[in-house]
Amino acid sequence: MRERLARVTLMRLAEPGDAVMGRLVASCGPEAAVEQVRRRVLDLEFVRWFASTRRGRPAEGTGEADARLDRILAAWAARLEAADPAGDLAAGERAGARLVVPGEPEWPTQLDDLLDSRPHALWLHGQANLRFACIRSVAIVGSRAATPYGAHVAAEFGAGLSERGHGVVSGGAYGVDGAAHRGALAGGTPTVAVLACGTDVSYPSAHHDLFEVVRARGLLVSESPMGVRPTRPRFLVRNRIIAALARGTVVIEAAVRSGALNTAGHAVALNRILAAVPGPVTSDTSTGCHRLIRQGAATCVTTPAEMAELVGAIGSDLAPEPRGPVLPRDRLAPEVRRVLEAVPARAGAGPAVIAVEAGVDLETVLSCLGGLAAAGYVEKTSRGWRLCPEKPSSG
Amino acid sequence: MRERLARVTLMRLAEPGDAVMGRLVASCGPEAAVEQVRRRVLDLEFVRWFASTRRGRPAEGTGEADARLDRILAAWAARLEAADPAGDLAAGERAGARLVVPGEPEWPTQLDDLLDSRPHALWLHGQANLRFACIRSVAIVGSRAATPYGAHVAAEFGAGLSERGHGVVSGGAYGVDGAAHRGALAGGTPTVAVLACGTDVSYPSAHHDLFEVVRARGLLVSESPMGVRPTRPRFLVRNRIIAALARGTVVIEAAVRSGALNTAGHAVALNRILAAVPGPVTSDTSTGCHRLIRQGAATCVTTPAEMAELVGAIGSDLAPEPRGPVLPRDRLAPEVRRVLEAVPARAGAGPAVIAVEAGVDLETVLSCLGGLAAAGYVEKTSRGWRLCPEKPSSG
């Protein structure tokens, strides 16, 4: 219980994805981490580690690093004073949500791949089991400002992957996120919406009803306490959870500046499978997808079956190759086809003329014409051989 | 002159792309090849070669191969009797076309890559020089039944490649072919239409006017004599010339069954560059393009500049990376941005509240707020700091 309380405190104390705090928790545990912030004294070993990493600041001296850590500690401490973990736990319970922390049965261990930026805990609200829902799952991400095309494809992928037994993971935004959840709800396997706000906050507010259905038949997930509103940086930080939960991520529509490309970057960094759906080259919302395909970062997928094949088990989940219709004409031998091509449509022609036109000898022509007549392709008239009018003569 | 006459005879005598005849011509020259067909006696060495290859018939014995060659020879001989090479030459001159044969200055030597299926000669009709027009050229191919999207993209590629100094090579069909030529004519470099019929035949007839413009400012090309109508197999055989003339081929729209995929196969077999333009996954006419991209056979290209980069010289012709707009907010340091995110839009907030919300220390908040106020992002009111209403607060 004390660990859960400490983790709820950490959700308030550090920004989501704060890897410095993540490192502190990894080194001494959540309770000691909170205690060190409360006493405003960090372990000497941790202070040395911080100075040694100089994250992105190679020219920084030890004194400057210490000063920077002091400022970080002051910010943590200020937030700790404002924190009310018991109140947060009670608010979550009142809202009907549940807290899961690392090590508990419902905790999805694939989040451990996030290392120091692993969430301290997650608030879940919904009927589905997070761990089971994500064992075999695909993240469907894309533009909030999806075109009707993007929304259609997202819904098709949501439904098609769900029907194949893949859980769907996405955010809670307009456009691709919403369409993916709606498709997944139609398909039957649980859909998981990872939010950048509290699970009790309907953002965007027009998704209030959608979130209600997801709670009933899937799961809302957040690393923020109840009541927390989303901010722009938190949307980006949230994306790491979406990428980490799923086996693979598919980008449906994404402009060159798009949060979906941020999720794609997390998927690559986490060694997850990345795919992108192409679209019209005239559409700005597909530019990001095409760039991922051109760079070789993402596999081009066009159907839910192809995505299922990518994330599925080797040897099963194979997508069918697209094939066109087989026309009766296709079954003819090449020589027979050449003779058929040489038979005129209206005015008839004799076998010798047809032989010259087709470039085959007379004997072959006579034999082919007999077979073609029996199959109803050609007919013999008083003016020679011609095509039967009712058979297709061009295709 | 005797060689030209022999090659004009060969254009009648064998089907275009007939590799058996191509081998005969390669082994003894065009005049001797015609003479052997006239005498109905083939060189023993050639007969032995034919029996040894057993093209696609590994179980065939020498006797059966000889019988098959006899039938081929009979078909050639029958066509030879019907041929009138002097008349064909005169008809071409009357139509305003010119004959080019291998070894002449205008002959594009890249056609030699076709080996035994190299055309015996080509009829050209138009102002452009075939060799020069194709030195730096791209083949634009795709569906006859192009969607408005495909026609638009084909015209954009035709114009964009032409403006970059690349000749455009295509067929003469409706859809992508026609749109590519129209685009190329707008761009300025010669456009080359390779036809499956004689250069004096307007097929399809609605392209009569387009072909007139191509004759005036580009080139019509055919391996068939004047007056010859196209047949279905000849369209496919013609595609090898399109693929061989150009440095690279781009498929704009192609269903799973499409002549454009046949051209793509020739491009791969000839070690030419192959690219495909993606489209909506909901459109059957883009299925072939997506399959080529998924198979790794074609590079995904979305703009004429990207195609020019593929076929262009190394180090020049680089396509720009697609980039989104840079917003003023992007230039802010991460810490400053976090403070800006924590400033409320309407009701003001004090620096301490903003510090807790942003997760940075008070001193940093005060310094950031000063800079943000100077840049016009935030303002200080009697109730604390808030965002300036006229600045964008979400993006």
Side-chain angles (χ1 to χ4, degrees), chain A residues 7-391:
Chain A
R7 288 193 174 273
V8 171
T9 310
L10 289 168
M11 287 166 102
R12 287 282 182 191
L13 196 151
E15 272 298 298
D18 177 345
V20 179
M21 176 54 86
R23 178 71 180 214
L24 182 64
V25 172
S27 67
C28 67
E31 293 154 75
V34 172
E35 192 51 36
Q36 289 184 39
V37 174
R38 195 183 315 276
R39 286 189 285 114
R40 298 217 179 196
V41 179
L42 298 172
D43 275 353
L44 192 58
E45 198 188 340
F46 180 77
V47 174
R48 281 197 190 123
W49 165 81
F50 184 83
S52 73
T53 61
R54 293 186 185 85
R55 309 178 149 257
R57 297 171 173 84
E60 190 180 65
T62 308
E64 290 154 297
D66 285 351
R68 192 155 56 83
L69 188 56
D70 278 349
R71 286 201 301 277
I72 291 172
L73 182 58
W76 286 343
R79 282 180 160 196
L80 181 58
E81 279 174 30
D84 174 15
D88 280 349
L89 272 176
E93 266 173 41
R94 263 199 316 278
R98 63 188 182 274
L99 187 82
V100 292
V101 302
E104 291 183 346
E106 198 175 350
W107 183 260
T109 48
Q110 61 267 42
L111 290 180
D112 300 350
D113 294 346
L114 291 168
L115 306 176
D116 287 345
S117 70
R118 186 182 74 169
H120 302 297
L122 289 173
W123 281 105
L124 310 183
H125 194 168
Q127 294 304 310
N129 178 297
L130 179 61
R131 189 187 179 113
F132 295 158
C134 295
I135 282 180
R136 184 178 153 93
S137 66
V138 171
I140 301 179
V141 301
S143 181
R144 269 176 304 162
T147 65
Y149 166 72
H152 170 79
V153 173
E156 288 288 312
F157 270 67
L161 287 163
S162 185
E163 281 162 7
R164 286 170 177 80
H166 294 270
V168 167
V169 181
S170 189
Y174 288 134
V176 167
D177 290 11
H181 290 305
R182 289 196 182 91
L185 288 166
T189 39
T191 194
V192 175
V194 185
L195 307 182
C197 52
T199 56
D200 60 335
V201 177
S202 291
Y203 182 89
S205 54
H207 272 178
H208 179 83
D209 291 352
L210 174 64
F211 291 164
E212 273 302 298
V213 182
V214 172
R215 282 187 196 102
R217 293 166 52 197
L219 208 53
L220 297 183
V221 177
S222 175
E223 59 181 323
S224 293
M226 299 303 123
V228 169
R229 308 276 315 168
T231 61
R232 202 174 292 105
R234 274 185 201 155
F235 280 113
L236 294 179
V237 168
R238 180 274 320 258
N239 290 340
R240 79 193 194 289
I241 301 179
I242 293 176
L245 280 176
R247 269 205 201 171
T249 293
V250 56
V251 185
I252 303 276
E253 271 193 325
V256 174
R257 281 184 68 103
S258 167
L261 296 185
N262 171 268
T263 313
H266 284 299
V268 170
L270 290 163
N271 271 319
R272 301 291 198 270
I273 288 155
L274 180 63
V277 175
V281 297
T282 47
S283 165
D284 284 344
T285 45
S286 286
T287 311
C289 295
H290 295 148
R291 193 167 65 173
L292 289 174
I293 293 168
R294 275 175 58 74
Q295 290 170 338
T299 304
C300 171
V301 296
T302 66
T303 61
E306 288 172 359
M307 188 65 203
E309 178 183 305
L310 268 187
V311 297
I314 287 172
S316 60
D317 303 307
L318 283 175
E321 273 286 301
R323 295 206 186 286
V326 175
L327 306 176
R329 191 183 278 271
D330 297 343
R331 299 204 195 89
L332 302 176
E335 216 159 44
V336 182
R337 244 196 284 183
R338 273 171 68 184
V339 171
L340 178 58
E341 287 289 339
V343 176
R346 276 177 293 262
V353 173
I354 292 171
V356 168
E357 178 66 25
V360 300
D361 65 306
L362 192 61
E363 201 181 329
T364 308
V365 165
L366 288 170
S367 137
C368 291
L369 285 173
L372 286 167
Y377 283 98
V378 301
E379 59 185 11
K380 195 174 182 179
T381 69
S382 56
R383 293 157 64 207
W385 293 87
R386 68 174 188 189
L387 296 179
C388 287
E390 65 270 30
K391 282 279 168 183

Side-chain angles (χ1 to χ4, degrees), chain B:
Chain B
M1 189 57 209
R2 280 180 54 205
E3 187 194 328
R4 289 167 64 85
L5 215 56
R7 288 192 174 275
V8 171
T9 310
L10 290 169
M11 289 167 101
R12 287 281 183 191
L13 197 150
E15 272 298 298
D18 178 345
V20 178
M21 175 55 85
R23 178 72 181 213
L24 182 64
V25 172
S27 67
C28 65
E31 294 154 73
V34 172
E35 192 50 35
Q36 288 184 39
V37 174
R38 195 183 315 276
R39 286 190 285 114
R40 299 215 181 199
V41 179
L42 298 172
D43 274 352
L44 193 58
E45 197 187 340
F46 180 77
V47 174
R48 281 194 190 126
W49 164 82
F50 184 85
S52 74
T53 61
R54 294 187 184 85
R55 311 178 149 257
R57 298 172 172 83
E60 189 180 64
T62 308
E64 290 154 299
D66 286 350
R68 192 154 55 84
L69 187 56
D70 280 347
R71 286 202 301 277
I72 291 171
L73 182 58
W76 286 343
R79 283 181 161 194
L80 181 58
E81 278 174 32
D84 173 15
D88 280 349
L89 271 176
E93 265 173 41
R94 263 200 315 279
R98 63 188 182 275
L99 187 82
V100 292
V101 302
E104 291 185 345
E106 199 177 349
W107 184 262
T109 48
Q110 61 267 42
L111 290 181
D112 299 351
D113 294 347
L114 291 168
L115 307 176
D116 287 345
S117 68
R118 186 181 74 171
H120 303 297
L122 289 173
W123 281 105
L124 310 184
H125 194 167
Q127 294 304 311
N129 178 297
L130 179 61
R131 190 186 179 113
F132 295 158
C134 295
I135 282 180
R136 186 178 151 94
S137 65
V138 171
I140 300 178
V141 301
S143 182
R144 269 176 303 163
T147 65
Y149 165 72
H152 170 80
V153 172
E156 287 288 313
F157 270 68
L161 287 163
S162 184
E163 281 162 6
R164 286 170 177 80
H166 294 269
V168 167
V169 182
S170 191
Y174 288 134
V176 166
D177 290 10
H181 290 305
R182 288 195 181 90
L185 288 166
T189 38
T191 195
V192 175
V194 185
L195 307 181
C197 52
T199 57
D200 61 335
V201 176
S202 291
Y203 183 90
S205 54
H207 273 180
H208 180 82
D209 292 353
L210 174 64
F211 291 164
E212 273 303 298
V213 182
V214 172
R215 283 187 195 102
R217 294 166 51 197
L219 209 53
L220 297 183
V221 177
S222 175
E223 59 181 321
S224 293
M226 300 303 122
V228 169
R229 308 277 315 168
T231 61
R232 203 174 292 106
R234 274 184 202 156
F235 280 113
L236 294 178
V237 168
R238 179 272 322 259
N239 290 340
R240 79 194 194 289
I241 301 179
I242 293 176
L245 280 176
R247 270 205 200 172
T249 293
V250 57
V251 186
I252 303 277
E253 270 193 326
V256 174
R257 280 183 67 103
S258 168
L261 296 185
N262 172 267
T263 313
H266 284 298
V268 170
L270 290 163
N271 271 319
R272 303 291 198 267
I273 288 154
L274 179 63
V277 175
V281 296
T282 47
S283 165
D284 284 345
T285 45
S286 286
T287 310
C289 296
H290 295 149
R291 194 168 63 173
L292 290 174
I293 293 169
R294 276 175 58 74
Q295 291 170 338
T299 304
C300 171
V301 296
T302 65
T303 62
E306 288 173 359
M307 188 65 204
E309 178 183 305
L310 268 186
V311 296
I314 287 171
S316 61
D317 303 307
L318 283 175
E321 273 285 301
R323 294 204 187 287
V326 176
L327 307 175
R329 191 183 279 269
D330 296 341
R331 300 204 195 88
L332 302 176
E335 216 158 43
V336 181
R337 242 196 286 183
R338 272 171 69 183
V339 170
L340 178 59
E341 288 289 340
V343 175
R346 280 178 292 260
V353 173
I354 293 171
V356 168
E357 179 65 25
V360 298
D361 65 306
L362 191 61
E363 202 182 327
T364 307
V365 166
L366 289 170
S367 139
C368 291
L369 285 172
L372 286 167
Y377 282 99
V378 301
E379 59 186 11
K380 194 174 181 178
T381 69
S382 57
R383 292 158 64 207
W385 293 87
R386 68 175 189 188
L387 296 179
C388 288
E390 66 270 31
K391 283 280 168 183
S393 66
S394 69

